[in-house]
């Protein structure tokens, strides 16, 4: 069953979905946006689930990744894909500046990292010589053409983002199973027991922050080359963080696929259904749904589905007797 | 190998460990006894880093432990089994040992993990959730296993035999004796049962109200009038 899961996801991601929606640019761009948010949600969940840290400031890493990649391609003439990877590293490096905040717990960490996001946004606005200030950057280079596929187009962008997020899930799976990931998981409820066997929790949390910032930055870089323009209020917008948090919590931030599934469901349903019903203030429905989810299945959608299918299977098994 | 000098730990006004001084030789098996609240667990905590002493020194094989953060002390050779078993939550039994080995011993050695599972008779539970699926004896065995996985020089056992019935206790004692020899450990063990202590430990320390009131062979110590008084509930002289 689990062996089939990965090929099934790949066939769905690379064959079924593109064939189903190709030509419908509107739907493709919605899915790309959903997966972009899903990528941030995954990055956020890595820190939240393993590091036990709630961040309100992932827009900072997203924004830094966007700007770094845009500037590397425009000012230094680097190839887009190389710049994107390097932009992830720049975002990761920038997370080191936020590390003093790691000493803080719970809401204090969440708030202080929000302050960092604001600082980075202000820098992007004020450092006009580099970033173009509030006017932003136009004509950011498109994604390239590779083996006859134009990655700069709508469906090309889809292939890039889906590859990025699937790779992220793969890396996340490896981290979760590594001794480092296990130690971080154990820290939640067994801090003393984990520390006396030699685990340096602060260091591991800092590492998770770096990894998480890298991936958020990578998503920012992708987005910059996908939409081809940037301005500080957009790149550092708090909604990159809030949408990702909603998606992660809705989908189940402690699960592997939850954040991605959450992002797809939340964003697509919001844009395609709620927006049609309630053009103004459709986010309210989303808020209410999230509230209901937290009440009825605090661990999110993915664990809920798993529970329901298990129940169903049991019933079918019982019926067979 | 272990030198403790003038160690004092206070909680507010309470002196839980009071000016304790003793040495321990390599390969020694040291019993630590004393009435409830005497400071035995606190002494262990001070050695492994979970309690911060107000004064005194702790040296393990020439290294000053008190200047090290907790996570360095496991690498320095301290292995600790808790009085109340503390499995690492959300991890399986094998994962508990793996994490302890990776961080406490600084290596990944799957064969050694299997060996520990085997010696501690945890093989059949290796892939089960450590926090929810172990019987008491197994929880105690995992407690010892986590400490052993860090490849300690000094194994500190805090009442790992308490609560086990007679046969379970005897079997577990044999297991402890086996691992002690196999891994050439020095052992410090807290245990209330005098018969067990007498069998296991050539040397016994007695704590009362945080103070070290006796240090000698089980015979000497358990016939010491002050020790007898401390157990019958008297205030220290
Ligand atoms: N974290 C703490 N904060 C405040 N007081 C503490 C703390 N830990 C221990 N104590 C107190 O220190 C004293 C020594 O406690 P400790 O747990 O070391 O005794 P013990 O000898 O291990 O007892 P037992 O045989 O019951 O396990 C007790 O009075 C206890 O209440
Ligand atoms: Mg105790």
């Amino acid at each position: 069953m689990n062996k089939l899961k990965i090929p099934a996801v790949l066939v769905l991601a690379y064959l079924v979905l593109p064939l189903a929606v190709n030509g419908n640019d509107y739907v493709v761009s919605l899915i790309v946006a959903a997966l972009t948010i899903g990528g941030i949600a995954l990055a956020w969940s890595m820190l939240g689930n393993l590091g036990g840290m709630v961040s309100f400031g992932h827009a900072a890493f997203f924004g830094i990744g966007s700007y770094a990649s845009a500037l590397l391609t425009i000012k230094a003439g680097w190839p887009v894909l190389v710049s994107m990877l390097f932009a992830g590293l720049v975002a990761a490096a920038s997370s080191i500046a936020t590390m003093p905040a790691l000493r803080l717990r719970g809401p204090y960490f969440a708030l202080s990292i929000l302050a960092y996001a604001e600082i980075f946004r202000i820098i992007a606005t004020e450092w006009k010589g580099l970033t173009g200030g509030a006017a932003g950057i136009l004509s950011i280079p498109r994604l390239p053409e590779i083996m006859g596929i134009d990655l700069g187009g709508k469906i090309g962008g889809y292939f890039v983002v889906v590859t990025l997020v699937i790779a992220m899930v793969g890396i996340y799976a490896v981290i979760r199973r590594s001794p480092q990931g296990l130690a971080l998981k154990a820290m939640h409820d067994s801090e003393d027991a984990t520390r006396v066997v030699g685990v340096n929790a602060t260091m591991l949390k800092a590492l998770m922050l770096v990894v998480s910032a890298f991936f958020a930055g990578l998503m920012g870089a992708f987005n910059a080359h996908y939409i081809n323009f940037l301005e500080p209020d957009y790149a550092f917008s708090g909604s990159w963080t809030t949408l990702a948090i909603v998606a992660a919590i809705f989908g189940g931030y402690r699960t592997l696929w939850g954040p991605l599934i959450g992002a797809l469901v939340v964003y697509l349903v919001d844009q395609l259904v709620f927006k049609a019903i309630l053009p103004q203030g459709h986010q309210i429905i989303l808020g209410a749904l999230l509230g209901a989810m937290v009440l009825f299945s605090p661990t999110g959608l993915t664990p809920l589905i798993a529970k329901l299918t298990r129940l169903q299977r049991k019933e079918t098994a019982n019926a067979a007797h | 190998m272990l030198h403790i000098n003038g160690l004092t730990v206070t909680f507010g006004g309470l002196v839980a460990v009071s000016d304790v001084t003793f040495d321990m030789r390599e390969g020694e098996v040291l019993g630590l006894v004393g009435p409830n609240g005497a400071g035995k667990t606190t002494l262990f905590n001070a050695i492994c880093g979970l309690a911060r002493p107000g004064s005194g020194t702790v040296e393990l094989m020439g290294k000053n432990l008190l200047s090290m953060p907790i996570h360095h002390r496991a690498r320095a050779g301290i292995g600790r089994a808790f009085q109340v078993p503390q499995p690492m939550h959300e991890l399986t039994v094998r994962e508990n040992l793996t994490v302890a080995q990776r961080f406490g011993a600084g290596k990944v050695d799957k064969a050694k993990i299997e060996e520990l599972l085997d010696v501690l008779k945890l093989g059949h539970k290796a892939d089960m959730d450590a926090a929810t699926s172990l019987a008491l004896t197994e929880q105690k065995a995992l407690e010892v296993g986590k400490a052993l996985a860090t490849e300690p020089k000094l194994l500190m056992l805090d009442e790992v035999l308490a609560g086990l019935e007679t046969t379970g206790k005897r079997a577990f004692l044999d297991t402890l004796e086996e691992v002690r020899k196999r891994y050439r450990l020095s052992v410090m063990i807290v245990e209330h049962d005098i018969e067990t202590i007498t069998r296991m430990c050539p040397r016994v320390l007695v704590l009362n109200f945080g103070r070290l009131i006796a240090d000698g062979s089980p015979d000497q110590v358990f016939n010491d009038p002050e020790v007898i008084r401390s157990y019958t509930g008297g205030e220290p002289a």
Side-chain angles (χ1 to χ4, degrees):
Chain A
M1 183 65 209
N2 249 324
K3 284 243 162 65
L4 284 177
K5 214 157 144 193
I6 293 164
V9 167
L10 294 181
V11 169
L12 194 72
Y14 289 102
L15 223 63
V16 179
L17 205 98
L19 283 175
V21 298
N22 199 8
N24 189 340
D25 277 0
Y26 175 62
V27 174
V28 174
S29 62
L30 284 185
I31 293 175
V32 171
L35 288 172
T36 306
I37 290 159
I40 310 170
L42 255 175
W44 183 88
S45 301
M46 290 183 194
L47 185 65
N49 179 30
L50 293 181
M53 315 296 279
V54 173
S55 158
F56 287 166
H58 263 51
F61 308 129
F62 182 86
I64 286 169
S66 314
Y67 269 93
S69 198
L71 293 173
L72 281 170
T73 48
I74 293 172
K75 305 235 160 170
W78 286 24
V80 170
L81 294 178
V82 178
S83 302
M84 279 171 58
L85 271 182
F86 200 81
L89 294 178
V90 172
S94 78
S95 75
I96 294 170
T98 69
M99 272 180 195
L102 275 179
R103 294 157 162 270
L104 305 170
R105 278 167 186 255
Y108 301 102
F109 172 79
L111 289 175
S112 67
I113 199 161
L114 179 63
Y116 277 106
E118 193 52 22
I119 292 169
F120 287 129
R121 189 187 63 77
I122 293 169
I123 292 174
T125 314
E126 297 304 322
W127 194 351
K128 298 195 176 73
L130 185 68
T131 65
I137 305 176
L138 297 173
S139 2
I140 297 168
R142 288 157 56 97
L143 287 149
E145 191 179 307
I146 286 181
M147 295 182 297
I149 306 171
D150 176 19
L151 300 180
K154 282 273 179 282
I155 198 78
Y158 165 79
F159 280 119
V160 174
V161 75
V162 89
T163 304
L164 289 178
V165 294
I166 288 178
M168 275 171 74
V169 169
I171 293 169
Y172 188 24
V174 171
I175 294 176
R176 281 158 67 108
R177 256 180 283 143
S178 71
Q180 286 76 6
L182 293 173
L184 280 166
K185 198 159 91 173
M187 279 305 293
H188 295 298
D189 292 317
S190 325
E191 191 169 337
D192 285 350
T194 311
R195 297 200 313 167
V196 296
V197 297
V199 174
N200 180 352
T202 316
M203 215 263 287
L204 289 183
K205 283 181 185 176
L207 265 172
M208 277 324 293
L209 178 63
V210 170
V211 171
S212 176
F214 172 83
F215 285 123
L218 188 63
M219 294 318 295
F222 160 76
N223 191 57
H225 297 290
Y226 175 72
I227 59 163
N228 314 113
F229 91 98
L230 276 184
E231 55 186 35
D233 287 348
Y234 167 78
F236 290 92
S237 163
S239 50
W240 293 117
T241 312
T242 42
L243 277 171
I245 295 178
V246 171
I249 292 178
F250 195 85
Y253 79 102
R254 305 205 71 166
T255 64
L256 197 53
W257 293 95
L260 268 189
I261 295 171
L264 283 167
V265 171
V266 165
Y267 191 76
L268 294 181
V269 170
D270 180 54
Q271 292 291 315
L272 292 171
V273 183
F274 299 160
K275 215 170 163 180
I277 306 171
L278 205 68
Q280 224 113 85
H282 51 100
Q283 292 89 343
I284 287 180
I285 311 182
L286 212 57
L289 259 182
L290 182 69
M293 178 63 84
V294 171
L295 274 180
F296 295 114
S297 177
T299 47
L301 185 66
T302 316
L304 182 68
I305 293 173
K307 213 188 298 171
L308 290 178
T309 47
R310 226 175 298 134
L311 271 181
Q312 178 123 45
R313 228 174 279 155
K314 221 179 264 168
E315 262 163 34
T316 345
N318 285 345
H321 281 286
Chain B
M1 65 170 304
L2 180 72
H3 304 287
I4 293 191
N5 205 333
L7 193 69
T8 300
V9 183
T10 54
F11 298 111
L14 177 88
V15 186
V17 173
S18 174
D19 195 20
V20 167
T21 300
F22 68 92
D23 284 349
M24 196 177 158
R25 278 181 299 104
E26 189 150 5
E28 203 165 24
V29 181
L30 194 65
L32 184 60
V33 303
N36 291 113
K40 305 176 296 290
T41 297
T42 305
L43 177 62
F44 276 14
N45 281 343
I47 296 171
C48 79
L50 289 172
R52 185 186 287 264
S55 59
T57 58
V58 178
E59 248 179 45
L60 183 73
M61 296 183 303
K63 278 177 276 184
N64 173 8
L65 287 188
L66 295 188
S67 65
M68 291 182 194
I70 301 180
H71 59 269
H72 282 174
R73 297 189 198 196
R75 286 280 179 99
I78 297 289
R80 160 83 185 266
F82 287 97
Q83 180 170 356
V84 179
Q86 295 198 21
M88 288 182 259
H89 280 238
E90 297 192 45
L91 268 49
T92 66
V93 170
R94 185 183 273 111
E95 287 169 345
N96 262 269
L97 298 180
T98 307
V99 167
Q101 182 186 58
R102 170 64 187 77
F103 293 95
K107 66 179 196 188
V108 179
D109 178 351
K110 291 201 171 130
K112 176 82 188 281
I113 299 286
E114 295 311 311
E115 179 183 307
L116 285 175
L117 286 168
D118 191 47
V119 173
L120 296 167
K121 300 171 186 70
L122 287 170
H124 61 300
K125 296 261 174 108
D127 296 311
M128 295 195 196
D129 182 66
T132 55
S133 44
L134 299 184
L136 183 65
T137 324
E138 293 162 342
Q139 292 175 28
K140 302 258 179 184
L142 178 59
E143 229 8 76
V144 176
K146 281 185 301 162
L148 290 176
T150 68
E151 306 203 338
K153 297 280 185 291
L154 172 63
L155 181 62
M156 302 196 299
L157 305 173
D158 198 350
E159 300 196 28
V160 289
L161 298 163
L164 305 183
E165 31 61 64
T166 322
T167 41
K169 198 169 191 167
R170 203 158 293 150
F172 200 52
L173 264 175
D174 292 342
T175 308
L176 287 179
E177 189 55 19
E178 190 190 336
V179 297
R180 184 183 74 80
K181 287 202 186 115
R182 183 186 295 207
Y183 304 119
R184 294 194 195 84
L185 299 168
S186 310
V187 178
M188 213 192 289
I189 180 164
V190 173
E191 170 58 40
H192 282 290
D193 180 29
I194 292 181
E195 197 193 314
T196 308
I197 282 283
T198 308
R199 269 214 351 236
M200 267 188 91
C201 313
R203 180 181 165 205
V204 180
L205 305 184
V206 186
L207 280 181
N208 191 30
F209 291 101
R211 280 179 41 241
L212 188 61
I213 58 168
D215 176 350
S217 71
D219 242 17
Q220 286 170 336
V221 157
F222 293 121
N223 290 314
D224 182 323
E226 194 180 351
V227 174
I228 295 168
R229 217 176 317 125
S230 76
Y231 271 92
T232 48
E235 289 282 324

